[in-house]
Amino acid sequence: MFDIDNIRNDFPILKQIVNEKPLIYFDSGATSQKPQVVIDSLKHFYTNSNSNVHRGIHTLGDRATIAYENSRNKLANFINAQAKEIVWTKGATESLNLLAHGLSNILKPGDVILISALEHHANIVPWQQLCANTGAILKVIPLDESSQAIELNTAQQLIDLHKPKILSISHASNALGNIQPITDIIKYSKKYKTVTVIDGAQAFMHLRPDMITLDCDFYVFSAHKALGPTGLGGLYGKYEQLNALPVYQTGGEMIKSVSFEETVFAQAPGKFEAGTPNISGVIAFGCAIDYMNKIDFSEQKAYENELFVYLQQQLENISGIELYGDLVQNIGTISFNYKKEHPFDIATLLDQYGIAVRVGSHCTQPLMKSLNIDGTVRISLAFYNTKNEIQQFITHLKQCLSLLD
Ligand code: PMP
């Protein structure tokens, strides 16, 4: 049985009182909360093992290196990949920049990079820059007006039309929660040997992606959206393709040998990890993965879905509320507006009740434009939320809306 009381006990921040009310944290899409084991791991590292990795002959150096590489193994097992296929980065943003930089040599002027209308700015701007530098053209799979989702057949038509060199699409939308039909899209784009990049920042914790099943070339994510510390993320790449990418940043750690005449780079993943990495973060993220592994995934999914359906029904019962996005294939994120009220006003009032939601354009300005809105109020749930929190939220939301009417 999915034991929500035990789970909540593992997240100390959830016990907090905010504005004299128990915190209701509905902003896990921005960053997830961290279980005690992750917090303890950071303290434990600096108390007992603090040392640099891949350098020391001494005991602490060894300890740090073993724990650091062990986290890579844990992540590899978690996503069904090999450790050498995983690069630690600062986050999904850095992983996407690394790819946009590294894939420049496969492009010539006129080649197409295909993305979707639901992308976060982190999966738009690096490709735009790459187009500006190479003469490639950015094309977008549009949002279907009625479903407010990317339709597979539209994606397939555009893949046939453009034969893109690169396709970069989110596994799940941060603004609307839509789970995108990426497995079919990846499969279809093999027809043209398109390099497939998946932005898994939102999906990672909710969907636990499997690299063999997905069969994409690259997958990026952020640790902080999956119970881990901030300032850390990852890039998965099929080894041959990963290793073939040119180096991104240069300096110490990423080399095999250096003379004043010439440098020989290390093989992947080392060649993409220049400088001292986020050692404590990587080790703590290993603990986050252990934590996720202890939760039965099918129970987690069922529980998250129950919360989502309940929230959706409750919101639909409030007249004047408009919900956006795919409300069936969804990671547990709902965006809404109330009449013509500014989302910011709603969130400010909710904060008085200790309720944390996100408002604005969610770093998806082009998506907001497609929806003809400036922004939304976004609730992004996680498995540590409860039905009771949703009830509290709905009660207070109604109070807030009555003040605005
Ligand atoms: N892609 C998506 C879908 C996201 O939600 C985010 C973060 N909101 C990012 C990329 C960027 O992640 P980070 O800020 O951790 O680099």
Side-chain angles (χ1 to χ4, degrees):
M1 254 300 279
F2 188 79
D3 189 340
I4 185 63
D5 292 335
N6 268 343
I7 284 176
R8 284 181 72 80
N9 274 334
D10 293 333
F11 290 81
I13 207 167
L14 299 179
K15 297 192 179 86
Q16 218 178 130
I17 300 295
V18 172
N19 296 328
E20 291 157 37
K21 298 278 184 320
L23 168 68
I24 295 181
Y25 188 75
F26 281 174
D27 197 17
S28 293
T31 193
S32 77
Q33 293 304 348
K34 323 300 173 200
Q36 189 69 53
V37 284
V38 169
I39 302 166
D40 288 347
S41 165
L42 292 168
K43 188 171 172 207
H44 186 271
F45 175 75
Y46 287 114
T47 312
N48 299 289
S49 310
N50 180 40
S51 192
N52 217 323
V53 289
H54 300 144
R55 291 168 168 80
I57 296 298
H58 57 75
T59 304
L60 292 194
D62 266 358
R63 210 183 278 162
T65 304
I66 289 167
Y68 178 82
E69 289 304 330
N70 200 20
S71 282
R72 203 191 302 271
N73 292 329
K74 287 179 190 179
L75 173 60
N77 286 334
F78 191 74
I79 63 172
N80 202 6
Q82 301 173 58
K84 65 180 184 178
E85 295 176 316
I86 287 158
V87 177
W88 296 115
T89 64
K90 274 195 314 195
T93 302
E94 189 179 46
S95 302
L96 286 162
N97 274 279
L98 189 161
L99 287 173
H101 170 268
L103 291 170
S104 66
N105 56 8
I106 68 163
L107 294 172
K108 53 180 192 325
D111 283 344
V112 166
I113 300 173
L114 188 61
I115 61 172
S116 91
L118 279 108
E119 301 312 314
H120 186 281
H121 296 163
N123 197 24
I124 301 174
V125 185
W127 303 118
Q128 255 172 1
Q129 288 299 111
L130 180 57
C131 288
N133 294 337
T134 59
I137 302 162
L138 191 69
K139 295 280 179 186
V140 182
I141 309 166
L143 196 68
D144 181 88
E145 267 184 38
S146 63
S147 65
Q148 293 189 341
I150 297 304
E151 295 297 330
L152 178 61
N153 60 359
T154 311
Q156 289 172 333
Q157 277 165 20
L158 286 177
I159 291 167
D160 281 335
L161 179 67
H162 298 302
K163 303 175 181 51
K165 277 278 164 16
I166 300 169
L167 179 137
S168 190
I169 181 169
S170 52
H171 196 168
S173 154
N174 66 308
L176 306 182
N178 293 16
I179 299 171
Q180 308 236 61
I182 59 161
T183 311
D184 290 328
I185 293 178
I186 293 165
K187 200 180 283 170
Y188 198 77
S189 50
K190 303 239 179 267
K191 217 169 152 183
Y192 303 106
K193 296 196 165 66
T194 302
V195 174
T196 48
V197 177
I198 303 298
D199 174 358
Q202 292 295 327
F204 191 90
M205 181 171 76
H206 300 285
L207 302 177
R208 299 197 190 179
D210 179 312
M211 293 308 118
I212 301 289
T213 313
L214 282 183
D215 201 21
C216 55
D217 297 310
F218 298 101
Y219 193 99
V220 310
F221 69 94
S222 295
H224 71 96
K225 293 181 196 284
L227 312 183
T230 53
L232 178 72
L235 161 66
Y236 155 86
K238 282 187 178 162
Y239 191 71
E240 245 175 70
Q241 278 153 281
L242 182 66
N243 202 31
L245 293 176
V247 295
Y248 179 51
Q249 292 181 335
T250 53
E253 276 287 291
M254 48 77 69
I255 52 87
K256 192 168 171 212
S257 66
V258 179
S259 70
F260 284 121
E261 290 71 40
E262 182 196 34
T263 293
V264 180
F265 301 122
Q267 297 290 298
K271 76 176 190 180
F272 300 112
E273 292 180 6
T276 300
N278 182 352
I279 305 165
S280 60
V282 167
I283 295 170
F285 186 52
C287 296
I289 292 169
D290 291 340
Y291 185 86
M292 286 189 271
N293 277 331
K294 282 193 193 137
I295 298 176
D296 182 286
F297 183 44
S298 55
E299 286 179 10
Q300 177 192 325
K301 267 204 305 199
Y303 180 77
E304 288 185 347
N305 193 50
E306 197 185 310
L307 290 183
F308 175 73
V309 169
Y310 182 66
L311 173 64
Q312 182 196 334
Q313 284 166 350
Q314 295 297 309
L315 285 170
E316 276 170 350
N317 283 340
I318 303 176
S319 103
I321 288 230
E322 185 174 358
L323 305 183
Y324 301 98
D326 185 337
L327 298 172
V328 179
Q329 294 298 322
N330 196 295
I331 52 166
T333 291
I334 296 195
S335 257
F336 69 89
N337 274 313
Y338 177 69
K339 298 181 182 166
K340 294 270 174 268
E341 298 302 339
H342 201 291
F344 189 86
D345 295 335
I346 299 174
T348 308
L349 288 170
L350 286 170
D351 183 51
Q352 313 276 299
Y353 295 104
I355 300 170
V357 298
R358 180 160 174 195
V359 288
S361 60
H362 316 294
C363 295
T364 57
Q365 287 177 15
L367 171 63
M368 295 296 124
K369 200 167 170 210
S370 305
L371 292 166
N372 272 319
I373 51 177
D374 293 329
T376 69
V377 181
R378 183 190 74 177
I379 298 156
S380 45
L381 300 170
F383 61 85
Y384 44 70
N385 290 124
T386 65
K387 219 166 170 177
N388 181 264
E389 287 182 313
I390 295 174
Q391 282 159 355
Q392 297 294 319
F393 161 72
I394 293 291
T395 304
H396 295 311
L397 177 66
K398 284 179 182 162
Q399 287 166 330
C400 298
L401 298 183
S402 69
L403 290 175
L404 294 170
D405 267 337

